[in-house]
Amino acid sequence: MISLAMILLASLFFSGIVLRTKSLVSGRKGPGFLQPLKDVLRLLRKGTVFSETTSFIFQIASSIYFVSVLMAIMIVPFGLSKGLISFDGDFVFFAYVLALGKFFSIISAMDTGSSFEGMGASREALYSMLAEPAFFVLMGSFAMLTGHTSFHCIFTALHFSSHVSYALGVLATFVLIMVAMIENSRMPIDDPKTHLELTMVHEVMILDNSGFGLGLFTYAVNLKFAMYGAIIANFFIGDVPWYFAVLVFMAVQVLFAVIVGLLESFTARFRMAHNATFIFTLTSASLLIFFGVLLLMGKFI
Amino acid sequence: MIYWDILPAFQYPNIPISQYPNIPISQYPNIPISKMTFILIYLAILAAALLSVPFLQVRAKGLVTVAAVIGCALLSGYLAGNALVGNELEILLPGTLVTGGIPIRIDALSAWFILVINFTMITGALYGLQYMKAYREQTANLSLHCIAYLLVQSMLTIICAVQNSLVFLFAWEIMALSAFLLVIFEHQKPETLKAGINYLIQSHISIVLLTVGFIWVAYRMDSYDFKAISEFSAEFGGANSFVLFLCFFVGFSLKAGFVPFHTWLPYAHPAAPSHVSGIMSGVLIKIGIYGILRMILLVKTDFTVLGYFILFVAVVSGIYGVMLAILQHNLKKLLAYHSIENIGIIGIGIGLGTIGIGMNNPLLTTLGFAGALLHTLNHSLFKSLLFFSAGNVYQATHSMNIESFGGLIKKMPHTAGLFLVASLAICGLPPFNGFVSEFLIYAGLYNGLGGNSPALLLALVSALFGLALIGGLALLCFTKAFGVVFLGTPRQHFHQPQSEAKTGTLVPMYAIVVLMLAIGLFPGIFLEALSAPLAAFQAKMPGVENVAALPENVGQMAVNIGWCAAGFLALAGLVIFIQQKMVKRTPGTIAATWGCGYVGDASRMQYTAGSFVRSYRKLAEPLFSIHKKKRPVEGIFPTDGWQETHPYDKAEAWLIDLPLRNLKNFIGKFQFLQNGNPQFYVLYGVVFIALVILIPIVMGSIEMLIKFLNQL
């Protein structure tokens, strides 16, 4: 319960910090921290325009996408307290429920019959397919290290082991940040502020969404960022009292948001053709973690 | 000499074939008469239906077939259901002089497969009843089709129940032949006939391998009973057993469709009528899985090595199948390649379970085999549903080319919805059934990571990588299939108007969806049903005793998944409800899709299936042979341009086409012998006779010469 509340809280200002960082870096003052949230609220109140090509898929897709992210968030624990949902192998459910949301966002883009949105859908499907093994191998490594197969148990057991696990945590953080950037279609993969449909991934998929549906899609991005932030935070919280844990959690979230802002300010987007290679490299990084764990446990021959 | 019409049956332990018919009748022990009655009624229904179908009116043919299918399914289902809750059936029929005793054993594993087979056979028959109305004039052809359908069903049941290798082979052969007849229903099309014959030849290679395996055992042990197989492997040791298992494995793999024995599937499935594709992909290939599982129960060998082997083949099959599926343009061919992928997933489960047996790890065994068995059921459900939906599309448009569809969801909303549900399930997404079995396999993989041997860890992490990749690729494939076929606007104009399929076809499809949702929401019940077959696999571990077939935490896991799925559905329903309220609150607007300022007809500009997977194709190109033909748009006044891609299976090119070409070349060298000139043929006859006469004479004189030389 506490993790759900914390992640929801973090999601409120996450995009604001990213935007503010980017503004400051580029020498502008930038909007307030809560401006993205106000935009979402405005969208939720607005009327909706439907394309005549669309069917019921388009009408339910944004809700299902939103709920899939919400379900995934419920699984993420907070420090020593479990998430709302916790059982052995819950991270498999986590990944698959996110994939369900993605399935619907892809077919809702196909539903409009637009050539732009088909393009975005094709890219999204390919990139998320390539990112999948990285996450599973990463979790597999930690399952092996700790001997547990649920988020909560893995994170709890992780802190009781040696300091080397923190080192692995850093490498895992890199993989998770990159997975978060891919999942949210952010900088090295996709530029959310690009002006040309041909170079978009996520933004082009929701071109025909408006009003409430667009609001859900937009807010889901914030939620997803906060969710990955929470997972990363869990690597570093450790066995500490709750007030300290809350502080660490918030610090990690803010730091994550600043990193995202900096990444977006100082990196250029890859060529589309190079994205696939880059994403597959992440799997190698998680394999590196796997071998690291093997070494740690002395299971290497 | 068949006794069972006089005498119901009797139970008897293993008796050598040679002594068999000599046992006095008075020595027959007491017999479970009621169960035998079931079998007799089963055979009576089957015989009555087979004999009456050719002489009936067209309408009645279908109805009688469906009634017989349901009747037979209920009877065998009753026995199987009983076996699944612990009352396993074992009847030893006296059999004949040739076959020896025919043991009928419906144990938990057979029972599970009989139930899986019969459910899809019923839905297939119901769907076929409506589907075949389009071919009403071909009465003779329909009779043959009905008979073949009945035979396939009964033979599949017999294969699961009978444990005499000769009878097993007979049933296997009849099943293969009837399935061939089912495939070539539209035999006037040359490609259908070609696909059918391709299937027929490959099934016979499978039969040859099975025969070799069975004969080897029968020769050594003097018994056709399956129990002889375990005695064989107890007596002749691990290496012999391993080779024997390999022989069976390849034979059964040819049916199941593991890579590289899969090449018949992508031809046979599209050629067959849709309900036949549904049952072929749903249950016919599963009989191969049954065979493999049965052999694992029978042989005794180094299960760890065996498990690694199966795991390797399975991961390769899974990835290879789905990678090729994505490239297909024919909807049914795409689904056929997905069968290979799902057989791969089932195989990963089997491999895990086998490793579990080898390492004395009960949890791994349970999770692996539970995942495999449940995925067998799941795949039979969603794959038949997909093929039935594809059949609806085919009857509405008379095309299977994905590129020509688009926007069918508006004309066929039910079919589209059903296809969507099946697509979600086959991608393993919650809240449907596919997720449950994939979850069990994942759980097995993660639990196995606690092991110590580096080989095991490497195998598991590659399986993990493979399974995750398969999931992602399936998502890519089915967003393509569903999105291009049903969504957007039509890409091609069809001459006939498309309309929703008849209720008769939709009812069995919705029945499948109900079962799929039941598995997704209440997986605990189905896992409970699996505890008896799992116990059989647990019993293979010598060191482990008194372990619950279904550990507490696995059952708890299943209940949790069910709750999460239900919670997801409830939450999604709530948010969709709120969204609908909010959308209705403000006046809605209907407008054209945003086209960057372009307002003309954009249906030809939509993303096609080919363009949807273009970036993927570029990545995968080195692995497959993709033939591309194109005419680019050129010049100041370009006329037209087009591009075609034809993906081709490299495994087929190397393993089927190349040897075939070499064989043809070799045999072609002797073509001059068959020159069509009668004089030459007479000459061959004369030469033959001359040789027959001359050879003994020449040999005789040589012998004489040697003797003479010896005497010198």
Side-chain angles (χ1 to χ4, degrees):
Chain A
M1 204 60 211
I2 181 166
S3 78
L4 181 64
M6 294 298 294
I7 293 172
L8 287 180
L9 186 68
S11 74
L12 297 180
F13 60 80
F14 195 96
S15 290
I17 296 180
V18 175
L19 270 184
R20 196 56 177 268
T21 314
K22 285 167 79 172
S23 307
L24 289 177
V25 167
S26 59
R28 290 177 288 123
K29 187 162 170 279
F33 286 125
L34 292 179
Q35 189 56 42
L37 188 69
K38 286 177 190 158
D39 289 344
V40 170
L41 286 176
R42 192 193 61 214
L43 280 172
L44 290 179
R45 283 199 302 271
K46 278 187 132 186
T48 309
V49 184
F50 284 114
S51 153
E52 58 204 5
T53 320
T54 57
S55 63
F56 71 92
I57 301 283
F58 187 80
Q59 297 183 18
I60 62 171
S62 47
S63 299
I64 292 186
Y65 183 76
F66 183 76
V67 170
S68 77
V69 177
L70 218 53
M71 274 309 267
I73 285 175
M74 288 182 196
I75 300 169
V76 178
F78 173 73
L80 294 182
S81 69
K82 289 181 181 177
L84 261 188
I85 304 168
S86 174
F87 54 92
D88 279 350
D90 54 4
F91 55 81
V92 178
F93 185 76
F94 171 86
Y96 270 72
V97 85
L98 283 178
L100 176 71
K102 200 164 288 167
F103 192 102
F104 270 92
S105 78
I106 291 168
I107 60 174
S108 104
M110 298 291 283
D111 200 13
T112 59
S114 147
S115 40
F116 293 124
E117 289 176 53
M119 191 169 62
S122 151
R123 288 171 184 166
E124 176 90 348
L126 181 70
Y127 298 157
S128 54
M129 175 273 279
L130 292 170
E132 203 100 310
F135 178 77
F136 277 99
V137 172
L138 178 71
M139 291 318 289
S141 314
F142 283 105
M144 190 167 77
L145 182 65
T146 59
H148 293 286
T149 53
S150 78
F151 264 137
H152 174 248
C153 296
I154 287 178
F155 288 135
T156 319
L158 203 57
H159 305 296
F160 296 143
S161 57
S162 69
H163 290 284
V164 190
S165 57
Y166 286 90
L168 280 175
V170 172
L171 199 52
T173 307
F174 168 73
V175 173
L176 278 174
I177 289 181
M178 280 309 158
V179 168
M181 297 307 258
I182 296 161
E183 288 276 321
N184 283 317
S185 302
R186 298 304 277 244
M187 201 40 168
I189 304 301
D190 180 22
D191 185 359
K193 287 280 167 268
T194 181
H195 64 285
L196 184 62
E197 291 86 348
L198 289 175
T199 57
M200 297 175 176
V201 180
H202 181 71
E203 302 302 314
V204 76
M205 285 173 67
I206 52 173
L207 272 182
D208 264 275
N209 284 83
S210 53
F212 198 83
L214 183 60
L216 287 182
F217 267 125
T218 317
Y219 192 55
V221 171
N222 296 351
L223 282 176
K224 259 189 174 177
F225 262 129
M227 175 180 79
Y228 280 106
I231 297 178
I232 295 169
N234 273 315
F235 278 113
F236 300 103
I237 287 182
D239 186 12
V240 290
W242 66 270
Y243 47 85
F244 196 63
V246 170
L247 270 181
V248 174
F249 180 88
M250 282 305 163
V252 169
Q253 290 282 11
V254 170
L255 199 65
F256 181 36
V258 172
I259 289 175
V260 171
L262 291 176
L263 262 178
E264 299 214 325
S265 307
F266 291 108
T267 52
R269 190 181 57 73
F270 288 142
R271 276 179 57 197
M272 283 294 172
H274 291 180
N275 275 344
T277 332
F278 170 71
I279 297 169
F280 223 52
T281 320
L282 279 185
T283 309
S284 331
S286 44
L287 276 177
L288 216 60
I289 298 179
F290 175 77
F291 287 118
V293 171
L294 274 185
L295 269 180
L296 246 184
M297 303 181 75
K299 282 181 181 175
F300 242 156
I301 320 159
Chain B
M1 235 197 316
I2 298 171
Y3 286 97
W4 52 256
D5 49 353
I6 329 165
L7 268 164
F10 66 106
Q11 287 177 306
Y12 227 90
N14 301 322
I15 305 158
I17 302 168
S18 44
Q19 293 173 18
Y20 207 78
N22 303 328
I23 299 162
I25 288 166
S26 55
Q27 282 189 14
Y28 293 175
N30 269 341
I31 25 137
I33 292 194
S34 59
K35 300 244 167 107
M36 194 60 215
T37 331
F38 274 100
I39 297 177
L40 288 178
I41 298 176
Y42 183 95
L43 293 173
I45 292 180
L46 182 66
L50 286 180
L51 292 175
S52 63
V53 161
F55 307 105
L56 293 169
Q57 294 287 320
V58 174
R59 255 185 83 79
K61 275 187 216 294
L63 289 175
V64 165
T65 311
V66 171
V69 165
I70 294 176
C72 288
L74 288 179
L75 283 172
S76 55
Y78 174 77
L79 290 181
N82 259 326
L84 209 54
V85 294
N87 306 318
E88 303 194 343
L89 174 77
E90 179 163 1
I91 301 175
L92 196 71
L93 297 176
T96 62
L97 202 58
V98 181
T99 56
I102 303 175
I104 294 183
R105 295 197 191 97
I106 302 187
D107 60 359
L109 182 67
S110 312
W112 178 258
F113 275 86
I114 289 177
L115 290 173
V116 169
I117 286 166
N118 279 317
F119 182 82
T120 302
M121 289 309 286
I122 292 177
T123 53
L126 286 171
Y127 179 86
L129 189 64
Q130 183 69 39
Y131 186 84
M132 295 313 264
K133 281 190 179 157
Y135 306 92
R136 212 173 285 148
E137 308 83 56
Q138 311 180 22
T139 43
N141 205 359
L142 276 179
S143 303
L144 196 62
H145 188 77
C146 290
I147 290 174
Y149 194 91
L150 280 167
L151 280 176
V152 165
Q153 186 203 14
S154 50
M155 288 311 135
L156 286 174
T157 314
I158 289 176
I159 288 171
C160 291
V162 168
Q163 298 209 349
N164 174 303
S165 42
L166 272 188
V167 179
F168 183 93
L169 284 175
F170 274 124
W172 191 271
E173 175 70 25
I174 298 176
M175 173 199 69
L177 286 177
S178 350
F180 166 70
L181 289 179
L182 288 179
V183 170
I184 59 155
F185 180 77
E186 293 183 273
H187 54 255
Q188 58 276 20
K189 293 185 188 164
E191 65 269 31
T192 302
L193 209 56
K194 205 175 155 202
I197 288 174
N198 186 354
Y199 161 69
L200 194 67
I201 294 172
Q202 299 216 22
S203 345
H204 278 86
I205 297 173
S206 138
I207 291 172
V208 167
L209 285 162
L210 297 183
T211 314
V212 167
F214 283 130
I215 286 179
W216 187 10
V217 174
Y219 170 68
R220 292 281 182 201
M221 309 306 296
D222 189 29
S223 167
Y224 290 126
D225 194 326
F226 276 13
K227 279 184 179 166
I229 297 173
S230 36
E231 286 160 18
F232 173 90
S233 64
E235 198 173 319
F236 289 93
N240 272 324
S241 309
F242 194 79
V243 176
L244 179 72
F245 182 86
L246 271 192
C247 192
F248 283 125
F249 182 81
V250 175
F252 287 126
S253 293
L254 271 163
K255 186 59 82 181
F258 279 110
V259 172
F261 314 110
H262 65 282
T263 49
W264 62 273
L265 265 107
Y267 292 103
H269 287 350
S274 291
H275 61 291
V276 176
S277 329
I279 62 151
M280 277 184 92
S281 182
V283 297
L284 202 80
I285 59 172
K286 301 296 162 30
I287 206 69
I289 297 292
Y290 166 77
I292 292 169
L293 287 174
R294 173 62 68 201
M295 288 308 147
I296 290 175
L297 279 183
L298 289 172
V299 298
K300 292 184 187 65
T301 177
D302 186 349
F303 282 108
T304 317
V305 177
L306 200 62
Y308 287 143
F309 171 72
I310 298 176
L311 198 64
F312 175 74
V313 173
V315 171
V316 170
S317 299
I319 296 179
Y320 193 77
V322 69
M323 283 185 88
L324 262 171
I326 295 174
L327 298 171
Q328 304 305 317
H329 305 302
N330 179 318
L331 185 55
K332 277 169 103 177
K333 204 164 183 178
L334 180 147
L335 295 178
Y337 274 109
H338 264 283
S339 297
I340 301 166
E341 172 226 317
N342 277 282
I343 288 291
I345 295 176
I346 295 173
I348 294 177
I350 297 177
L352 264 185
T354 316
I355 294 176
I357 294 178
M359 298 202 154
N360 271 339
N361 182 344
L363 190 61
L364 199 58
T365 312
T366 301
L367 288 170
F369 284 115
L373 287 170
L374 197 60
H375 202 73
T376 307
L377 170 64
N378 288 340
H379 179 243
S380 78
L381 296 176
F382 51 63
K383 187 44 73 66
S384 54
L385 187 56
L386 282 169
F387 270 116
F388 296 165
S389 315
N392 287 353
V393 170
Y394 178 72
Q395 293 217 315
T397 60
H398 294 287
S399 169
M400 270 291 111
N401 184 1
I402 294 178
E403 304 284 17
S404 56
F405 298 135
L408 282 177
I409 196 169
K410 297 205 180 55
K411 286 152 190 158
M412 315 175 75
H414 286 282
T415 305
L418 290 163
F419 192 92
L420 175 63
V421 167
S423 308
L424 292 173
I426 200 174
C427 292
L429 299 174
F432 295 103
N433 55 350
F435 176 68
V436 179
S437 41
E438 288 199 21
F439 181 88
L440 288 172
I441 296 175
Y442 270 118
L445 287 170
Y446 281 117
N447 274 304
L449 284 177
N452 268 326
S453 107
L456 173 73
L457 294 177
L458 273 182
L460 290 182
V461 89
S462 4
L464 203 60
F465 173 80
L467 200 55
L469 195 63
I470 290 171
L473 287 164
L475 193 99
L476 176 65
C477 189
F478 275 94
T479 46
K480 163 194 146 173
F482 181 75
V484 175
V485 174
F486 290 102
L487 303 177
T489 48
R491 291 178 175 75
Q492 186 184 317
H493 174 71
F494 290 104
H495 293 298
Q496 72 281 18
Q498 291 100 51
S499 58
E500 182 55 86
K502 296 272 185 330
T503 322
T505 58
L506 293 176
V507 169
M509 294 167 77
Y510 275 107
I512 300 176
V513 171
V514 170
L515 190 56
M516 280 166 54
L517 261 180
I519 300 175
L521 296 179
F522 310 104
I525 301 172
F526 291 85
L527 271 181
E528 199 63 43
L530 271 174
S531 56
L534 291 177
F537 287 106
Q538 298 280 13
K540 290 292 285 182
M541 286 179 286
V544 182
E545 274 166 23
N546 297 328
V547 175
L550 200 67
E552 189 76 15
N553 53 347
V554 176
Q556 193 53 44
M557 223 186 254
V559 173
N560 280 324
I561 302 172
W563 276 111
C564 289
F568 178 83
L569 280 184
L571 205 57
L574 179 73
V575 175
I576 289 172
F577 177 75
I578 294 173
Q579 186 183 17
Q580 296 297 336
K581 280 273 171 218
M582 295 298 281
V583 167
K584 289 226 175 69
R585 205 173 43 100
T586 46
T589 323
I590 304 288
T593 296
W594 191 78
C596 209
Y598 181 72
V599 287
D601 176 25
S603 62
R604 300 282 289 173
M605 288 159 52
Q606 284 179 95
Y607 245 47
T608 59
S611 45
F612 190 80
V613 297
R614 183 177 174 274
S615 353
Y616 163 78
R617 198 193 74 216
K618 291 272 172 208
L619 285 176
E621 223 157 28
L623 290 175
F624 303 105
S625 44
I626 300 169
H627 307 298
K628 247 188 309 194
K629 285 183 215 158
K630 71 177 186 182
R631 181 199 289 175
V633 182
E634 277 174 337
I636 302 168
F637 302 107
T639 47
D640 62 338
W642 45 259
Q643 171 174 331
E644 284 176 8
T645 53
H646 298 279
Y648 195 69
D649 193 341
K650 250 188 190 168
E652 192 180 345
W654 287 345
L655 292 171
I656 306 282
D657 296 349
L658 187 69
L660 217 58
R661 208 166 41 241
N662 287 340
L663 188 70
K664 263 188 185 164
N665 278 342
F666 177 72
I667 295 177
K669 298 218 189 313
F670 303 96
Q671 215 172 12
F672 69 93
L673 289 173
Q674 196 189 12
N675 47 19
N677 211 337
Q679 287 92 328
F680 273 94
Y681 295 156
V682 174
L683 179 67
Y684 300 153
V686 171
V687 168
F688 177 72
I689 293 170
L691 283 177
V692 166
I693 297 169
L694 277 178
I695 285 176
I697 295 175
V698 172
M699 291 298 283
S701 41
I702 290 175
E703 254 173 53
M704 267 175 58
L705 187 70
I706 291 173
K707 267 184 197 161
F708 174 72
L709 288 176
N710 276 347
Q711 282 169 6
L712 279 179

Short mmCIF file of all heavy atoms in Angstrom, two decimals, chain B residues 422-444:
data_model
loop_
_atom_site.label_atom_id
_atom_site.label_comp_id
_atom_site.label_asym_id
_atom_site.label_seq_id
_atom_site.Cartn_x
_atom_site.Cartn_y
_atom_site.Cartn_z
N ALA B 422 -7.97 -14.65 -28.73
CA ALA B 422 -7.02 -15.74 -28.97
C ALA B 422 -5.61 -15.19 -29.15
O ALA B 422 -4.64 -15.81 -28.70
CB ALA B 422 -7.45 -16.53 -30.19
N SER B 423 -5.47 -14.02 -29.80
CA SER B 423 -4.14 -13.44 -29.98
C SER B 423 -3.52 -13.09 -28.64
O SER B 423 -2.35 -13.34 -28.40
CB SER B 423 -4.20 -12.15 -30.80
OG SER B 423 -4.89 -12.35 -31.98
N LEU B 424 -4.34 -12.49 -27.76
CA LEU B 424 -3.82 -12.14 -26.43
C LEU B 424 -3.37 -13.39 -25.70
O LEU B 424 -2.33 -13.43 -25.06
CB LEU B 424 -4.89 -11.41 -25.62
CG LEU B 424 -5.28 -10.03 -26.12
CD1 LEU B 424 -6.46 -9.49 -25.34
CD2 LEU B 424 -4.11 -9.08 -25.99
N ALA B 425 -4.19 -14.46 -25.85
CA ALA B 425 -3.87 -15.69 -25.13
C ALA B 425 -2.59 -16.31 -25.68
O ALA B 425 -1.75 -16.78 -24.92
CB ALA B 425 -5.02 -16.67 -25.24
N ILE B 426 -2.43 -16.30 -27.00
CA ILE B 426 -1.25 -16.97 -27.57
C ILE B 426 0.01 -16.18 -27.28
O ILE B 426 1.11 -16.74 -27.21
CB ILE B 426 -1.43 -17.22 -29.08
CG1 ILE B 426 -0.49 -18.32 -29.55
CG2 ILE B 426 -1.20 -15.97 -29.87
CD1 ILE B 426 -0.70 -18.72 -30.97
N CYS B 427 -0.11 -14.86 -27.07
CA CYS B 427 1.06 -14.08 -26.67
C CYS B 427 1.36 -14.29 -25.19
O CYS B 427 2.32 -13.71 -24.68
CB CYS B 427 0.83 -12.60 -26.92
SG CYS B 427 0.74 -12.17 -28.63
N GLY B 428 0.54 -15.07 -24.50
CA GLY B 428 0.78 -15.34 -23.09
C GLY B 428 0.44 -14.16 -22.21
O GLY B 428 1.04 -13.99 -21.16
N LEU B 429 -0.52 -13.35 -22.61
CA LEU B 429 -0.83 -12.17 -21.81
C LEU B 429 -1.97 -12.48 -20.84
O LEU B 429 -2.89 -13.21 -21.18
CB LEU B 429 -1.25 -11.01 -22.74
CG LEU B 429 -0.16 -10.58 -23.71
CD1 LEU B 429 -0.68 -9.55 -24.68
CD2 LEU B 429 1.01 -10.01 -22.94
N PRO B 430 -1.88 -11.93 -19.62
CA PRO B 430 -3.00 -12.10 -18.70
C PRO B 430 -4.20 -11.29 -19.22
O PRO B 430 -3.98 -10.36 -20.00
CB PRO B 430 -2.46 -11.50 -17.39
CG PRO B 430 -1.37 -10.58 -17.78
CD PRO B 430 -0.81 -11.10 -19.06
N PRO B 431 -5.41 -11.57 -18.90
CA PRO B 431 -5.93 -12.54 -17.94
C PRO B 431 -6.30 -13.87 -18.61
O PRO B 431 -7.17 -14.56 -18.10
CB PRO B 431 -7.18 -11.85 -17.42
CG PRO B 431 -7.70 -11.08 -18.59
CD PRO B 431 -6.49 -10.71 -19.43
N PHE B 432 -5.70 -14.22 -19.73
CA PHE B 432 -6.14 -15.43 -20.42
C PHE B 432 -5.25 -16.63 -20.07
O PHE B 432 -4.28 -16.49 -19.32
CB PHE B 432 -6.19 -15.18 -21.93
CG PHE B 432 -7.23 -14.17 -22.28
CD1 PHE B 432 -6.87 -12.87 -22.59
CD2 PHE B 432 -8.57 -14.50 -22.25
CE1 PHE B 432 -7.84 -11.92 -22.86
CE2 PHE B 432 -9.53 -13.56 -22.52
CZ PHE B 432 -9.16 -12.27 -22.83
N ASN B 433 -5.59 -17.77 -20.68
CA ASN B 433 -5.00 -19.03 -20.23
C ASN B 433 -3.51 -19.17 -20.57
O ASN B 433 -2.76 -19.79 -19.85
CB ASN B 433 -5.78 -20.20 -20.80
CG ASN B 433 -5.88 -20.15 -22.30
OD1 ASN B 433 -5.52 -19.14 -22.91
ND2 ASN B 433 -6.36 -21.19 -22.92
N GLY B 434 -3.10 -18.58 -21.73
CA GLY B 434 -1.71 -18.75 -22.14
C GLY B 434 -0.74 -18.27 -21.08
O GLY B 434 0.33 -18.85 -20.88
N PHE B 435 -1.14 -17.23 -20.36
CA PHE B 435 -0.25 -16.68 -19.35
C PHE B 435 0.03 -17.70 -18.24
O PHE B 435 1.16 -17.81 -17.76
CB PHE B 435 -0.86 -15.42 -18.74
CG PHE B 435 -0.04 -14.86 -17.62
CD1 PHE B 435 1.20 -14.33 -17.87
CD2 PHE B 435 -0.50 -14.90 -16.32
CE1 PHE B 435 1.97 -13.83 -16.84
CE2 PHE B 435 0.26 -14.40 -15.28
CZ PHE B 435 1.50 -13.87 -15.55
N VAL B 436 -1.00 -18.46 -17.86
CA VAL B 436 -0.85 -19.38 -16.72
C VAL B 436 0.24 -20.40 -17.01
O VAL B 436 1.15 -20.61 -16.21
CB VAL B 436 -2.19 -20.08 -16.42
CG1 VAL B 436 -2.01 -21.03 -15.26
CG2 VAL B 436 -3.26 -19.07 -16.13
N SER B 437 0.16 -21.02 -18.21
CA SER B 437 1.14 -22.08 -18.47
C SER B 437 2.53 -21.49 -18.68
O SER B 437 3.52 -22.06 -18.22
CB SER B 437 0.72 -22.91 -19.68
OG SER B 437 0.21 -22.11 -20.69
N GLU B 438 2.62 -20.33 -19.36
CA GLU B 438 3.94 -19.73 -19.51
C GLU B 438 4.50 -19.32 -18.16
O GLU B 438 5.70 -19.42 -17.91
CB GLU B 438 3.87 -18.52 -20.47
CG GLU B 438 3.67 -18.96 -21.91
CD GLU B 438 4.06 -17.90 -22.92
OE1 GLU B 438 4.83 -16.99 -22.57
OE2 GLU B 438 3.58 -17.97 -24.06
N PHE B 439 3.60 -18.86 -17.29
CA PHE B 439 4.04 -18.46 -15.95
C PHE B 439 4.64 -19.65 -15.22
O PHE B 439 5.70 -19.53 -14.58
CB PHE B 439 2.86 -17.90 -15.17
CG PHE B 439 3.23 -17.44 -13.79
CD1 PHE B 439 3.68 -16.16 -13.59
CD2 PHE B 439 3.15 -18.30 -12.72
CE1 PHE B 439 4.03 -15.73 -12.34
CE2 PHE B 439 3.51 -17.88 -11.45
CZ PHE B 439 3.95 -16.59 -11.26
N LEU B 440 3.99 -20.81 -15.33
CA LEU B 440 4.50 -22.00 -14.65
C LEU B 440 5.90 -22.34 -15.16
O LEU B 440 6.80 -22.69 -14.38
CB LEU B 440 3.57 -23.19 -14.87
CG LEU B 440 2.24 -23.13 -14.11
CD1 LEU B 440 1.34 -24.25 -14.56
CD2 LEU B 440 2.49 -23.22 -12.62
N ILE B 441 6.07 -22.22 -16.49
CA ILE B 441 7.38 -22.54 -17.05
C ILE B 441 8.43 -21.53 -16.57
O ILE B 441 9.55 -21.89 -16.18
CB ILE B 441 7.31 -22.62 -18.58
CG1 ILE B 441 6.39 -23.78 -18.98
CG2 ILE B 441 8.68 -22.81 -19.18
CD1 ILE B 441 6.13 -23.89 -20.44
N TYR B 442 8.04 -20.24 -16.56
CA TYR B 442 8.96 -19.22 -16.04
C TYR B 442 9.33 -19.54 -14.59
O TYR B 442 10.49 -19.46 -14.19
CB TYR B 442 8.32 -17.84 -16.08
CG TYR B 442 8.56 -17.08 -17.36
CD1 TYR B 442 7.50 -16.71 -18.18
CD2 TYR B 442 9.84 -16.71 -17.73
CE1 TYR B 442 7.71 -16.01 -19.34
CE2 TYR B 442 10.05 -16.00 -18.90
CZ TYR B 442 8.98 -15.65 -19.69
OH TYR B 442 9.21 -14.96 -20.85
N ALA B 443 8.29 -19.89 -13.82
CA ALA B 443 8.54 -20.18 -12.40
C ALA B 443 9.52 -21.34 -12.28
O ALA B 443 10.43 -21.30 -11.44
CB ALA B 443 7.23 -20.51 -11.71
N GLY B 444 9.36 -22.35 -13.14
CA GLY B 444 10.28 -23.48 -13.14
C GLY B 444 11.69 -23.02 -13.46
O GLY B 444 12.66 -23.40 -12.78
#
